[in-house]
Amino acid sequence: MVLIIIDALLMLASLYLIYIWVPPAAILGETSRIVYLHVPLAWVSTLAFIVAGLASIQYIRKNAIEYIHCARSSVHIGFFFSILTVITGSLWAKVMWGSYWNWDPRETSITLLLLIYIAYFSLHQIVHTNPKGAMLESVYLVIAFVASPFLIFVVPRLYPSLHPEPVINTQGAILLDTEMRLVLIISVVTFTLFYATVLKLLLKVYKLEYVCTEDVS
Amino acid sequence: MFTIKAHNISKRYSYRLFSNISCSVSTGESVAIVGPNGSGKSTLLKILGNIVSPDSGRIEYFENKEPIPAHTVIHYAGIVAPYIQCYNHLTLTENIIFAFGSVTDDAIELLHRLDMYQHKDKVLHTYSTGMQQRCKIAMALLKKPKVLLLDEPGSNLDDSGRKILFELIKEIQPFTAIIMATNDSREAKLCHRSIVLDKGIGA
Amino acid sequence: MIKGLVRNIVKDLRIEFRSKVVISLILSFSVIVTISIGFASGGIIGSPMVHAILLWVIIFFSGMNTSHLFYREIEEHTALFNLMYYSPESIFVSKLIVNCIIMVAVAAIVGLLYLFVMDVSVYNVSGFAIMMLAGSSALAVCTTIIAAITALVQARGGLFTILSFPITLPIITVVIKSTTQCFSKEIYSSWSAILFLLAFSTLLGVVSYILFPYIWREF
């Protein structure tokens, strides 16, 4: 409960910071405000994938049902966040680069992440009644997890990038502005906390569901 | 000396099959698992052979009093069950070569006793189900298993087949731990002890 | 381990030779697709890039029938029989090798047929041959575990493609790039591509090898 309240307050604060307090970036203008949403969303999509991958490894090692619940919840959240990342990203791309989709390396990476999430859901739909289902899902996620550095760092490098460096883009030199950096950090923290809150809630839901099916039988 | 010790094992699928079963089987002993359809005989057999893991409880395996890891148990086991089949596209000889590398004198003798020798070079899918059952028995026994898991071993066998099976089981009994899931009272009588699972389907 | 490996490979090849399920599915699929592309295009498409993409898409989709190698063991109830004698690791490696053999054969046949039907000229023949060999075996190594997963849930075909696409994309991207260069007059060295394929498939192969025993049980 405390977590929810803190996060709600932080969310309001960052909304104020993003839309009112922080000055627009020099060249990008008012559109630059989307960066404070886009970057945290992309960060959470990646974080959710990492958490899901680690949870799956733990499930395979320990065979405890909590880990698979954690992986599933994390994938659910990551899926929605990566869709939002793609939407905010392509809106911004339209404004800045002139078209919604440019096959830019970062766009390719997030699409691949989205594809992995979709593949996981397809597998989950098919196996969730199977007693071996949880293990199959975990194994798939671990394989994808191991392959992902190649997907994220190698494949995109084969094409030239439009995104500003460094990797988790902070708009390079333009954003060195302390105010902007501060807002970005606050926003990332807020969204990470939001992720943690939702993850906790989903875990509770899964646990209740599991206990219920246990009781019925 | 091979020993299986099970403590308080429970298993449920969509309904609860059984709970808190404990038992112990060693070389030279044989246990029959009996009970009505749907009571979980095969499942208990699979759990004792570490083919399926239980929901709760634990099973320990010992070889000469030394504990051995559960996942290696299958290397000591011979299994005859409806859910296990020899390779249908291979001949019996090829199946034996696949599993053991060569057809030994022991194998030839066993095939003679099971009345399968003259059929050994035919592809298995041309066999009747009774002949396939004989193949499975041959393949399990040739392995010289430390633990023999039999699930309805007499199914599909004719009277002479059953007679041979009973003889073979009696011969191997002093050297092997035998666990048998069965509905047939004659088969159950071969065993020293029995575990009775009394609840039927969905209970 | 080696004994189990050899016996399993011999067994799989022998069964495949007798039943011809996998090879006939794969070959008829790939040949039909190649020829229909030839028909549809009438030999007009010219860009090396397009040829490379089409060629590898055909090979990738042909691979989806290799899950039958695992599915056969489950359908015919021989999986447990096999485990009674050999470790899951040796079963996995033997399937991986058989899968490689099948995929390399498919790549060779589809590659030649494609060149013939579409009238593509290859400027760098040795590079092209190496790419076909390396690409198809890398595909086979990385999709073996996916083949096992799809075989276990008995929803082959579609699911296999969905699951393996995100994982094999690095391979496909790299081989398409290199194959394009073989079809055009550029001088290039395929070593970096081969090194990448080797690293990627070794990594995935090792991880699959570790994970396989966790799914190949409870039959």
Side-chain angles (χ1 to χ4, degrees), chain B residues 86-87 90-104 107-108 111 116-124 127 135 139 142, chain C residues 14 18:
Chain B
C86 310
Y87 285 99
L90 303 181
T91 65
L92 184 51
T93 317
E94 283 165 345
N95 267 298
I96 293 173
I97 291 174
F98 163 71
F100 308 107
S102 63
V103 185
T104 56
I108 293 171
L111 292 190
M116 292 299 295
Y117 188 76
Q118 66 274 31
H119 304 294
K120 70 180 183 351
D121 290 320
K122 281 189 210 153
V123 179
L124 252 62
Y127 284 12
C135 293
M139 293 303 289
L142 278 177
Chain C
R14 186 174 272 154
R18 288 192 188 151

Side-chain angles (χ1 to χ4, degrees), chain C residues 14-61:
Chain C
R14 186 174 272 154
I15 292 177
E16 184 49 43
F17 184 73
R18 288 192 188 151
S19 68
K20 301 185 184 67
V21 175
V22 180
I23 204 77
S24 63
L25 272 176
I26 292 187
L27 274 189
S28 43
F29 174 85
S30 52
V31 168
I32 287 169
V33 175
T34 314
I35 291 178
S36 43
I37 287 175
F39 268 127
S41 66
I44 301 168
I45 348 169
S47 145
M49 182 85 172
V50 175
H51 283 307
I53 290 173
L54 281 176
L55 180 57
W56 280 101
V57 166
I58 297 172
I59 296 175
F60 172 75
F61 279 96

Side-chain angles (χ1 to χ4, degrees), chain C residues 1 16 25 34 43 45 49 58 76 88 105 111 129 137-138 143 161 166 169 179 182-183 185 187 190 202 204 210 219:
Chain C
M1 172 81 191
E16 184 49 43
L25 272 176
T34 314
I45 348 169
M49 182 85 172
I58 297 172
E76 298 181 357
S137 38
T143 54
T161 322
L169 202 73
T179 313
C182 294
F183 288 160
K185 282 177 183 160
I187 309 284
S190 56
T202 312
L204 278 200
I210 297 169
F219 294 103

Side-chain angles (χ1 to χ4, degrees), chain A residues 63 131 210 213-214 216-217, chain B residues 11-16 53:
Chain A
N63 206 358
Y210 182 69
T213 51
E214 185 103 310
V216 167
S217 64
Chain B
K11 182 76 183 177
R12 59 182 271 255
Y13 280 121
S14 49
Y15 51 89
R16 193 170 291 281
S53 41

